Amino acid sequence: MANSEDEKEEDDTEWKYSFVDSIPLIPAAASDPSLNRTSGPTPAHRVILHFDLDCFYAQVEMIRNPALREVPLGIQQKYIIVTCNYVARDLGVSKLMSVTDAKEKCPQLVLVKGEDLTHYREMSYKLTELLMSYCPLVERLGFDENFVDITKIVERRLAETPESNNFSFKGHVYNHTSAELEAQDHPRLALGSHIAAEIREDIKGKLGLTGCAGIATNKLLAKLVCGTFKPNQQTTLLTENIDDIIGSLSSLRKVPGVGYQTSKRLQALGLASVKDLQLFPLNDLAREFGAPSAQRLKNLALGVDESPVTPTGAPQSLSDEDSFKKISSTKEVLEKTRELLSNLVERMRNDGRQPQTFRLTIRKYSATNKWFNRESRQCPIPNHVGQKIPSESSEDALVLLLPLAMKLFHKMVDSSAAFHLTLLNVCFSNLQTKGAAVSGKGSITSFFTQSTSPGKTQQICSSQIQALPTGFQHTFILYVVCRIPPLRTGVVTAWIIRLAHTA
Ligand code: TTP
Ligand code: MG
């Protein structure tokens, strides 16, 4: 049953990992047979978000081909529609319908094969990575769901909020039409709803994806409330409505955490509804499932979930990107790449792992395909450069990475002709923990750092530059440039561009 998600073991069934598989039994609950909702270490002050993207595979396909947005779209795996867009849902198609039934319901349904998960997986990790830029406590659940524990962010905001503040909720509040009155009594959840809205907006802005969010005091409740209003909406669950939402579940199988096998065993005990489970004696339940699982089931039936948001593990790549109306000169590309790389190197340094591969992605302007017109080139990161990234000399790494980036750029863009870019993305992948990478010798950067100090670099004369090994000259100049304020780099930029171009 228990089978936690492991990124290193990601495979084509990753979306399948369900809540029941991802939550370990809680030993503390086992030793405390009371059913008290406030027992255990869970503070009622936790604020947990659950994100679930709308019609995920279909959204990815609609981003890749915007023409699909307006038509009923089904994603087909073998003979099943694994998901469909909301246009198709309005016409009676539903998830997991057979292709035959779906075509019968909606003859104009457009089908896209969804067996190759590459794009879905890529987008899935991008989402988790984006969430992790808010806070490290992000737990993946399948491809398109994530829990985020934002308690600390909320506490910080609360501390900064003046006492006179009038709290309000963003989005829906479960079982409430007008939530203004409750907001003062639930400042944390109210703030949580604002943070959820900000994050959803960011997901839309950066990845072009819409989704739902649930805001509650634990994972179980956040997941339950998340789907109350779909698509592209969010709902907050107040503690006084926990019984309502649990009571609304039509069967035990609807309780996140109760899988198929468990529900069969409960059925065999004569339990059909959530109410049945709530009332069933714990001791009898323990005889069938053992004390820890029995307590866990009882807790779930009461909306109690003390399990922490357990970070799924570091992503397999880190990237940063920016989109813009127009970049059409190599100088702008260099400046933007430098800015992005600087942030990324900093994040990579905090991460502590050493990337082995660098990828540059660009998006060329296209009037017809605004979102998914991307092109990438990648190259290995020389070990002496990679080693610098998670170290104190990460700035030096930046200097060495810029020419690599520009070289990749020139592979994709003929800069002697006019070009129009709308996005740049820099990415480190193949991340290895310290010691795993081959140790490098003779780092050109260490040569620079030994022979120059930042203050002195601007005084280096051209003969010294020319004395450097061919191919490292441009690197050295970039090293200098990165140490002087951006506004003063203009003069040498043209030179650097030429050097990077020929590298
Ligand atoms: P879901 O989140 O269940 O569905 P969804 O995101 O498509 O739609 P919703 O708006 O209702 O959230 O699953 C996420 C993706 O997982 C889905 O896009 C396709 C894939 N999937 C399968 O491959 N097989 C399945 O049986 C299910 C349910 C989903
Ligand atoms: Mg979804």
Side-chain angles (χ1 to χ4, degrees):
M1 181 174 107
N3 186 7
S4 68
E5 184 191 8
D6 182 340
E7 294 208 354
K8 287 178 197 70
E9 289 173 12
E10 72 173 43
D11 62 23
D12 289 359
T13 58
E14 187 175 5
W15 64 268
K16 282 183 186 164
Y17 291 112
S18 66
F19 198 69
V20 68
D21 293 332
S22 66
I23 297 180
L25 297 169
I26 302 167
S31 59
D32 176 12
S34 107
L35 298 183
N36 186 347
R37 184 168 279 147
T38 58
S39 71
T42 309
H45 291 159
R46 277 205 304 167
V47 183
I48 309 295
L49 306 182
H50 177 256
F51 291 97
D52 182 351
L53 294 173
D54 302 327
C55 57
F56 179 46
Y57 290 6
Q59 270 208 88
V60 174
E61 296 302 341
M62 292 188 293
I63 288 171
R64 297 182 71 206
N65 177 3
L68 297 172
R69 284 187 186 282
E70 314 306 326
V71 300
L73 170 69
I75 307 301
Q76 177 180 2
Q77 284 178 355
K78 301 215 163 57
Y79 304 106
I80 298 289
I81 305 288
V82 287
T83 194
C84 52
N85 66 3
Y86 278 79
V87 179
R89 292 187 201 195
D90 288 344
L91 296 169
V93 183
S94 58
K95 290 191 274 189
L96 303 184
M97 223 178 213
S98 73
V99 172
T100 319
D101 288 352
K103 274 285 191 190
E104 207 169 287
K105 280 252 176 228
C106 176
Q108 68 274 40
L109 186 70
V110 175
L111 293 174
V112 168
K113 294 258 186 214
E115 267 120 16
D116 178 0
L117 301 185
T118 312
H119 297 295
Y120 314 140
R121 185 183 293 114
E122 256 175 31
M123 197 57 107
S124 169
Y125 281 104
K126 274 188 191 167
L127 173 67
T128 303
E129 200 191 316
L130 179 62
L131 294 173
M132 284 177 73
S133 70
Y134 283 86
C135 112
L137 293 178
V138 179
E139 182 177 327
R140 284 164 63 81
L141 188 63
F143 262 12
D144 80 331
E145 295 180 45
N146 287 270
F147 291 108
V148 188
D149 183 338
I150 56 161
T151 310
K152 281 203 174 135
I153 305 177
V154 166
E155 290 301 337
R156 269 202 302 276
R157 284 215 189 168
L158 198 58
E160 289 161 5
T161 309
E163 278 192 19
S164 56
N165 188 67
N166 277 331
F167 288 99
S168 65
F169 283 104
K170 273 269 184 186
H172 305 275
V173 178
Y174 187 84
N175 263 7
H176 293 265
T177 43
S178 163
E180 274 72 38
L181 289 174
E182 288 80 13
Q184 292 306 111
D185 301 332
H186 301 278
R188 288 177 178 79
L189 286 171
L191 285 172
S193 73
H194 283 263
I195 294 166
E198 287 164 24
I199 297 178
R200 285 177 51 239
E201 207 165 296
D202 203 18
I203 295 170
K204 176 75 181 127
K206 295 214 169 98
L207 303 178
L209 293 165
T210 63
C212 294
I215 304 102
T217 49
N218 69 38
K219 293 199 304 190
L220 165 74
L221 298 170
K223 180 169 167 66
L224 270 183
V225 80
C226 180
T228 316
F229 293 94
K230 289 168 82 167
N232 196 19
Q233 296 177 70
Q234 64 175 62
T235 315
T236 304
L237 180 72
L238 307 183
T239 38
E240 60 256 39
N241 298 113
I242 293 175
D243 290 342
D244 301 336
I245 197 163
I246 293 286
S248 74
L249 301 176
S250 56
S251 74
L252 277 168
R253 191 72 179 82
K254 300 272 180 210
V255 179
V258 176
Y260 176 77
Q261 294 298 343
T262 308
S263 69
K264 286 279 156 224
R265 287 165 76 187
L266 289 169
Q267 234 173 353
L269 292 174
L271 310 184
S273 70
V274 179
K275 194 87 195 154
D276 293 341
L277 179 55
Q278 285 176 353
L279 297 174
F280 197 69
L282 182 66
N283 285 345
D284 295 348
L285 205 57
R287 264 195 293 280
E288 168 67 23
F289 291 93
S293 297
Q295 182 63 58
R296 175 73 177 139
L297 284 167
K298 274 283 189 186
N299 281 350
L300 292 177
L302 291 162
V304 175
D305 176 15
E306 297 169 350
S307 63
V309 171
T310 309
T312 308
Q316 299 301 291
S317 64
L318 282 190
S319 66
D320 200 1
E321 70 179 34
D322 206 357
S323 50
F324 21 78
K325 280 212 168 108
K326 185 175 190 177
I327 275 192
S328 53
S329 75
T330 314
K331 178 172 172 273
E332 288 171 296
V333 172
L334 180 77
E335 278 165 10
K336 183 47 86 180
T337 308
R338 181 185 145 195
E339 188 187 313
L340 289 170
L341 260 176
S342 171
N343 291 338
L344 191 64
V345 165
E346 176 66 20
R347 277 170 58 206
M348 203 66 248
R349 188 158 82 103
N350 293 337
D351 178 282
R353 287 176 295 168
Q354 180 179 329
Q356 306 294 305
T357 306
F358 174 71
R359 184 171 69 228
L360 182 77
T361 303
I362 60 169
R363 187 173 63 202
K364 291 178 182 161
Y365 175 78
S366 155
T368 49
N369 193 353
K370 206 172 153 224
W371 288 108
F372 220 89
N373 193 26
R374 294 180 180 218
E375 241 180 274
S376 297
R377 289 287 184 285
Q378 64 179 44
C379 63
I381 300 174
N383 193 47
H384 66 274
V385 181
Q387 278 180 331
K388 297 281 168 194
I389 297 172
S391 74
E392 286 309 308
S393 32
S394 56
E395 266 197 44
D396 302 325
L398 172 61
V399 175
L400 296 160
L401 285 162
L402 261 175
L404 282 184
M406 294 310 287
K407 200 171 167 183
L408 296 177
F409 165 72
H410 287 296
K411 281 188 180 167
M412 294 184 276
V413 175
D414 173 8
S415 58
S416 62
F419 64 89
H420 179 169
L421 301 186
T422 60
L423 175 139
L424 277 169
N425 174 302
V426 290
C427 174
F428 289 139
S429 60
N430 196 0
L431 312 178
Q432 291 191 6
T433 41
K434 247 182 190 159
V438 192
S439 69
K441 286 182 190 157
S443 151
I444 187 72
T445 314
S446 67
F447 166 75
F448 284 137
T449 42
Q450 280 158 23
S451 60
T452 63
S453 68
K456 286 181 183 167
T457 50
Q458 288 168 59
Q459 295 163 17
I460 303 288
C461 68
S462 64
S463 62
Q464 281 173 286
I465 295 172
Q466 277 154 29
L468 290 168
T470 321
F472 288 138
Q473 293 173 352
H474 63 283
T475 307
F476 177 73
I477 295 152
L478 283 167
Y479 176 84
V480 175
V481 170
C482 290
R483 275 164 168 68
I484 57 177
L487 286 177
R488 290 163 60 191
T489 60
V491 185
V492 281
T493 303
W495 187 17
I496 293 158
I497 291 164
R498 271 203 304 278
L499 285 165
H501 193 40
T502 53

mmCIF file of all heavy atoms in Angstrom, residues 52-56 144, ligand 2:
data_model
loop_
_atom_site.group_PDB
_atom_site.id
_atom_site.type_symbol
_atom_site.label_atom_id
_atom_site.label_comp_id
_atom_site.label_asym_id
_atom_site.label_seq_id
_atom_site.Cartn_x
_atom_site.Cartn_y
_atom_site.Cartn_z
ATOM 1 N N ASP A 52 -4.249 21.769 -7.387
ATOM 2 C CA ASP A 52 -4.578 20.732 -8.372
ATOM 3 C C ASP A 52 -4.839 21.447 -9.701
ATOM 4 O O ASP A 52 -5.751 22.271 -9.796
ATOM 5 C CB ASP A 52 -5.825 19.959 -7.913
ATOM 6 C CG ASP A 52 -6.197 18.830 -8.876
ATOM 7 O OD1 ASP A 52 -5.615 18.747 -9.972
ATOM 8 O OD2 ASP A 52 -7.094 18.039 -8.515
ATOM 9 N N LEU A 53 -4.006 21.153 -10.683
ATOM 10 C CA LEU A 53 -4.167 21.839 -11.967
ATOM 11 C C LEU A 53 -5.419 21.371 -12.684
ATOM 12 O O LEU A 53 -5.857 20.229 -12.519
ATOM 13 C CB LEU A 53 -2.940 21.579 -12.842
ATOM 14 C CG LEU A 53 -1.628 22.186 -12.323
ATOM 15 C CD1 LEU A 53 -0.460 21.721 -13.178
ATOM 16 C CD2 LEU A 53 -1.689 23.706 -12.286
ATOM 17 N N ASP A 54 -5.979 22.252 -13.483
ATOM 18 C CA ASP A 54 -7.170 21.905 -14.274
ATOM 19 C C ASP A 54 -6.750 21.020 -15.448
ATOM 20 O O ASP A 54 -5.747 21.301 -16.113
ATOM 21 C CB ASP A 54 -7.819 23.184 -14.827
ATOM 22 C CG ASP A 54 -8.216 24.144 -13.712
ATOM 23 O OD1 ASP A 54 -8.586 23.668 -12.627
ATOM 24 O OD2 ASP A 54 -8.145 25.373 -13.937
ATOM 25 N N CYS A 55 -7.532 20.045 -15.715
ATOM 26 C CA CYS A 55 -7.376 19.136 -16.883
ATOM 27 C C CYS A 55 -5.932 19.106 -17.373
ATOM 28 O O CYS A 55 -5.644 19.472 -18.522
ATOM 29 C CB CYS A 55 -8.326 19.540 -18.004
ATOM 30 S SG CYS A 55 -8.159 21.228 -18.606
ATOM 31 N N PHE A 56 -5.038 18.622 -16.502
ATOM 32 C CA PHE A 56 -3.612 18.876 -16.667
ATOM 33 C C PHE A 56 -3.045 18.525 -18.051
ATOM 34 O O PHE A 56 -2.488 19.373 -18.745
ATOM 35 C CB PHE A 56 -2.838 18.163 -15.570
ATOM 36 C CG PHE A 56 -1.352 18.353 -15.669
ATOM 37 C CD1 PHE A 56 -0.818 19.608 -15.899
ATOM 38 C CD2 PHE A 56 -0.485 17.283 -15.540
ATOM 39 C CE1 PHE A 56 0.552 19.798 -15.996
ATOM 40 C CE2 PHE A 56 0.876 17.459 -15.638
ATOM 41 C CZ PHE A 56 1.401 18.713 -15.869
ATOM 42 N N ASP A 144 0.098 16.516 -10.999
ATOM 43 C CA ASP A 144 -0.461 17.872 -11.026
ATOM 44 C C ASP A 144 -1.001 18.350 -9.689
ATOM 45 O O ASP A 144 -1.735 19.319 -9.638
ATOM 46 C CB ASP A 144 -1.534 17.985 -12.118
ATOM 47 C CG ASP A 144 -2.873 17.410 -11.699
ATOM 48 O OD1 ASP A 144 -2.881 16.481 -10.868
ATOM 49 O OD2 ASP A 144 -3.904 17.909 -12.194
HETATM 50 MG MG MG B 2 -5.971 18.084 -11.933
#
